[in-house]
Amino acid sequence: MMRAGFVRCHEEVAVRAAVLPRIPSGLEIAEVEVDDPGPHEVRVRVVASGLCHSDLHYMEGKYAWETPTVLGHEAAGVVEAVGSDVTGFRPGDHVIGCLSIFCGRCEYCLSGRPALCTRQGLERGAGEPPRLSMDGAPVHQFLRLSAFAETMLVHENALVAIREEMPLDRAALIGCAVTTGLGAVFATAKVPPGATVAVIGCGGVGLNCVQGAAIAGAGRVVAVDTLPWKLELARAFGATDTVDATADDPVGQVRELTGGGVEFSFEAIGLAATAEQAFAMLRRGGTATIIGMIPEGQTIALPGSDFLDEKRIQGSNMGSNRFRVDMPRYVDLYLNGRLKLDELVSARIGLEEINEGFAAMRRGEVARSVIVFGEAEA
Ligand SMILES: NC(=O)c1ccc[n+]([C@@H]2O[C@H](COP(=O)([O-])OP(=O)(O)OC[C@H]3O[C@@H](n4cnc5c(N)ncnc54)[C@H](O)[C@@H]3O)[C@@H](O)[C@H]2O)c1
Ligand SMILES: [Zn+2]
Ligand SMILES: [Zn+2]
């Protein structure tokens, strides 16, 4: 069928989605209309979608987004339909979505840092119909994905195709937690073999820092959390030592265990206090990498004289990824038995259970919950 640009064909599909009506708020299951793909867009049947703490930060009002919106940004699925100019995907392809959509034209894309892309020309224009709508009114797309829905309509540069033998519920986790945690270790901090590492916060992201450090060959990997079961899980992911942050000052404990501090620390919670701890537990010349989303408007304080010891602190956005290269490699690592993903999935839930899933995250009961739509695997 010939289509010119955005001439409407009224081929939208109605799908079930978890809508955030306002901020702060819980999610409401509702029917959302997903438009037909534009020239560079792809419609994906979502098979699995993970619950990330970042979604919860928006629900709780720690970060702002336009509402109503459909949250979710950690998903894998199967291509249903492609736009007229899409050449890299076809219906039936298994794909992972990534919020680090790249434009290929900005200074960050062109200098090899596409995770920092300023995203030129990837959205629909003001005169065009919205990708998502409800009762005729636009629904804002979250992080250019909106993955808590049976179907996603995204720009082709938000997707990567993967091997079909990869189970899609575990592939979904590669969409955020795995790429963020491994990438922070491999690409942002570039941890070398033998290094001494500490990871503060052993949830979905932090456990992937722990296993990333183990894969990178770190000599010591100290896991820090407030929950004993998370520390036990961290050992299964490669931690050589664990620190219960409720028992005593975690900085003192890490410094003592490592003979004066670590070369690399990672904060994977999103609190100012633990970001300051990450810096304080460094040895001379060490680097702290902050992954957690510290609430908008908050600042952190650091002792200025520590910079004479050449200590560094840096942020990491989605593990400084180049996801079209990285994600298929992570799939290979999993299928070769070198990456733990089965142990990361604490619960497979239905879309209707999503608020309970986030409540379980808040209570610290899960490493990751994954929504599985329809059949467990495509
Ligand atoms: N920078 C990025 O690109 C990026 C990407 C994904 C997620 N994030 C952020 O990373 C953070 C972690 O996300 P997640 O999904 O892994 O969250 P999570 O809720 O699964 O894990 C957080 C962990 O921190 C532990 N914790 C809480 N308070 C603690 C404390 N005071 N000391 C030690 N441990 C403590 C919890 O027990 C839990 O195990 C969030 O802030 C999220 O928004 C950032
Ligand atoms: Zn995330
Ligand atoms: Zn760009």
Side-chain angles (χ1 to χ4, degrees):
M1 176 188 60
M2 293 294 290
R3 287 193 63 206
F6 281 92
V7 174
R8 297 299 294 270
C9 292
H10 300 289
E11 291 174 8
E12 310 102 322
V13 290
V15 303
R16 284 185 315 133
V19 176
L20 182 68
R22 71 199 87 82
I23 291 180
S25 169
L27 301 173
E28 295 170 3
I29 308 302
E31 200 159 272
V32 168
E33 304 277 319
V34 179
D35 201 25
D36 209 30
H40 284 283
E41 294 174 345
V42 177
R43 203 166 66 203
V44 177
R45 175 170 65 83
V46 180
V47 171
S49 193
L51 275 56
C52 175
H53 208 120
S54 303
D55 300 299
L56 187 55
H57 289 318
Y58 287 88
M59 292 164 65
E60 292 178 340
K62 294 187 176 130
Y63 275 78
W65 198 266
E66 283 179 294
T67 56
T69 184
V70 173
L71 295 182
H73 62 277
E74 187 179 81
V78 179
V79 171
E80 264 182 352
V82 301
S84 54
D85 294 349
V86 172
T87 54
F89 298 94
R90 54 184 146 169
D93 284 351
H94 288 207
V95 293
I96 302 176
C98 185
L99 68 89
S100 304
I101 175 174
F102 56 93
C103 71
R105 347 178 178 155
C106 74
E107 67 176 282
Y108 298 100
C109 283
L110 294 175
S111 57
R113 304 180 78 186
L116 297 181
C117 176
T118 55
R119 304 189 171 101
Q120 314 290 311
L122 299 168
E123 310 280 350
R124 287 192 172 186
E128 293 163 344
R131 287 183 182 147
L132 307 177
S133 59
M134 219 164 73
D135 304 325
V139 170
H140 299 277
Q141 194 169 32
F142 180 62
L143 298 171
R144 297 157 289 278
L145 293 172
S146 282
F148 292 151
E150 291 168 318
T151 297
M152 298 192 288
L153 178 64
V154 300
H155 191 280
E156 58 181 323
N157 289 5
L159 297 174
V160 57
I162 56 164
R163 293 164 63 181
E164 288 193 5
E165 34 314 15
M166 181 68 196
L168 289 168
D169 55 352
R170 277 141 284 173
L173 302 183
I174 295 176
C176 180
V178 173
T179 293
T180 300
L182 296 188
V185 172
F186 302 157
T188 316
K190 300 186 176 71
V191 171
T196 304
V197 172
V199 178
I200 314 178
C202 299
V205 173
L207 287 168
N208 281 293
C209 291
V210 168
Q211 75 168 330
I215 292 168
R220 296 281 292 277
V221 184
V222 185
V224 183
D225 205 292
T226 51
L227 301 168
W229 82 270
K230 289 278 176 76
L231 294 174
E232 224 169 278
L233 194 55
R235 281 202 186 266
F237 277 73
T240 57
D241 304 82
T242 56
V243 161
D244 178 349
T246 62
D248 202 352
D249 169 34
V251 173
Q253 294 188 73
V254 170
R255 294 186 78 86
E256 169 135 17
L257 271 172
T258 55
V262 294
E263 293 167 87
F264 294 93
S265 61
F266 296 87
E267 197 276 354
I269 305 166
L271 297 173
T274 44
E276 289 165 3
Q277 289 170 8
F279 191 73
M281 64 177 63
L282 295 175
R283 68 199 305 129
R284 291 164 70 85
T287 302
T289 301
I290 309 303
I291 304 167
M293 290 176 60
I294 296 168
E296 271 177 331
Q298 285 192 16
T299 54
I300 66 169
L302 302 173
S305 59
D306 278 20
F307 291 107
L308 290 172
D309 291 333
E310 295 197 0
K311 291 188 186 178
R312 304 168 197 222
I313 186 162
Q314 63 184 349
S316 180
N317 188 307
M318 292 296 291
S320 311
N321 73 78
R322 298 143 311 150
F323 74 89
R324 286 242 177 115
V325 177
D326 301 333
M327 290 186 179
R329 291 182 180 177
Y330 299 158
V331 166
D332 287 346
L333 279 178
Y334 171 78
L335 292 174
N336 294 336
R338 313 237 350 247
L339 188 70
K340 289 189 196 316
L341 297 181
D342 301 351
E343 300 81 347
L344 210 53
V345 182
S346 312
R348 289 176 175 76
I349 62 175
L351 182 65
E352 322 61 45
E353 298 167 279
I354 191 165
N355 284 311
E356 175 47 33
F358 279 114
M361 173 185 286
R362 220 184 258 124
R363 293 193 298 265
E365 291 171 4
V366 287
R368 247 335 180 234
S369 302
V370 182
I371 297 167
V372 179
F373 294 90
E375 288 169 293
E377 285 164 25

